[in-house]
Amino acid sequence: MTLNEQYIEAILISSQQIPLPVSLPDDETFVSFYTGDNTILIETLKNMLTESVTVPDFRYVYFWSSSSAGKTHLLHAACFELSKENQIITYIPLDQHQELAPEMLEGLEHCSLICLDNIDAIAGQRKWEEAIFDLFNRLYENQQTTLIIAGNVPPKQLNLSLPDLASRLEWGQIYHLQQLDDQQKLAALQQRAKLRGFELSDEVGLFLLKRLNRDMRTLFTNLEKLDIASITEQRKLTIPFVKEVLEL
């Protein structure tokens, strides 16, 4: 989903309160997320989203991790789950807050799901902090929205200028999204390859881990590039072919 699509989606939901088609990455779902040591977090999110369809209520989860651990993937997966139920949802990337406006949060209390990504990016931005605090209060009053917030650090380490918002962020369940170790990253690559319809050998997978930046977004992006090249040239994924395609 592009930034403009995200912005338009949130504004339209805020002003019209109608279900909208949501453009989400088709490879960022719960099925494609390699759980690793995050079973409790994943099950919590799935259960919360399932319950939100049958019993509307205010539900809130905060999870945090360093960059490239899969925070955005999980938020997209949550949006995908409720989009299948034709629920009103919105996703807001707060790391791009300079191109957005705090006013876009007005009226979102009628959504079924709100996902705020990279909340640490607005720490110290008084207008944004006040807008999120006001949103919290409206969501709590309306009791019909699931709120999921992701950040790079735990709530207590956000260095917010608004103490009341810091307090609100401690209300819900808080989880640390664990990074994958190298063996889990290999398994995640092989799982993604299988979902794309091909097999990734241990040899090639370990080669990618050795030669590429090990953050999962970089690994998945290059895996997609290799898949396309393999289909186009009708060649199997061997180390010589990978070196050729990725210019390693």
Side-chain angles (χ1 to χ4, degrees):
M1 188 190 310
T2 67
L3 174 59
N4 286 337
E5 287 171 335
Q6 293 161 354
Y7 179 78
I8 292 170
E9 174 200 345
I11 289 297
L12 288 177
I13 289 176
S14 176
S15 62
Q16 298 177 19
Q17 303 306 323
I18 58 175
L20 296 172
V22 178
S23 176
L24 296 168
D26 58 10
D27 59 353
E28 295 192 1
T29 65
F30 285 124
V31 172
S32 65
F33 189 87
Y34 188 80
T35 302
D37 298 322
N38 298 295
T39 301
I40 295 177
L41 169 59
I42 304 305
E43 290 304 312
T44 296
L45 292 175
K46 288 180 178 178
N47 291 337
M48 184 173 65
L49 294 168
T50 299
E51 292 169 0
S52 70
V53 176
T54 56
V55 184
D57 197 358
F58 176 49
R59 298 177 174 87
Y60 163 55
V61 167
Y62 181 105
F63 64 90
W64 62 278
S65 72
S66 56
S67 60
S68 302
K71 296 188 300 293
T72 298
H73 183 144
L74 284 180
L75 294 180
H76 285 162
C79 289
F80 177 78
E81 286 300 305
L82 287 198
S83 71
K84 294 189 299 185
E85 303 293 335
N86 294 317
Q87 300 293 306
I88 304 175
I89 63 176
T90 192
Y91 164 86
I92 300 176
L94 292 172
D95 57 332
Q96 301 178 47
H97 68 275
Q98 293 180 342
E99 300 177 55
L100 305 174
E103 290 76 16
M104 70 189 304
L105 301 183
E106 296 175 3
L108 295 187
E109 62 271 16
H110 299 290
C111 292
S112 297
L113 171 67
I114 300 171
C115 292
L116 302 182
D117 202 356
N118 296 300
I119 193 171
D120 43 282
I122 57 88
Q125 304 290 321
R126 188 72 179 193
K127 290 184 177 180
W128 273 102
E129 290 187 19
E130 290 176 347
I132 294 173
F133 173 72
D134 290 341
L135 176 62
F136 250 104
N137 290 338
R138 296 195 306 274
L139 296 181
Y140 184 73
E141 180 179 352
N142 279 32
Q143 295 289 309
Q144 68 179 49
T145 303
T146 295
L147 174 64
I148 306 176
I149 298 179
N152 287 343
V153 294
K156 290 183 178 179
Q157 297 179 23
L158 285 173
N159 295 318
L160 298 170
S161 61
L162 188 62
D164 287 339
L165 176 58
S167 176
R168 292 292 187 276
L169 292 176
E170 294 282 345
W171 274 5
Q173 302 179 67
I174 300 172
Y175 295 93
H176 182 195
L177 176 62
Q178 301 291 334
Q179 292 269 9
L180 302 179
D181 60 28
D182 283 354
Q183 194 60 41
Q184 291 170 331
K185 287 181 179 180
L186 173 60
L189 281 170
Q190 291 175 324
Q191 173 182 282
R192 184 64 63 93
K194 188 173 183 179
L195 289 171
R196 295 185 66 90
F198 69 98
E199 297 294 326
L200 180 70
S201 68
D202 288 355
E203 181 185 23
V204 173
L206 291 171
F207 177 80
L208 293 175
L209 287 172
K210 181 179 179 180
R211 298 296 295 273
L212 297 175
N213 187 315
R214 294 188 182 188
D215 74 86
M216 295 311 300
R217 191 164 295 277
T218 296
L219 290 170
F220 286 150
T221 297
N222 281 284
L223 186 68
E224 179 180 4
K225 183 177 181 179
L226 290 170
D227 182 27
I228 294 172
S230 175
I231 293 172
T232 300
E233 301 188 27
Q234 293 294 299
R235 292 175 61 182
K236 292 184 178 181
L237 284 187
T238 61
I239 289 180
F241 183 58
V242 168
K243 287 182 177 179
E244 178 184 333
V245 173
L246 300 182
E247 300 179 347
L248 297 175

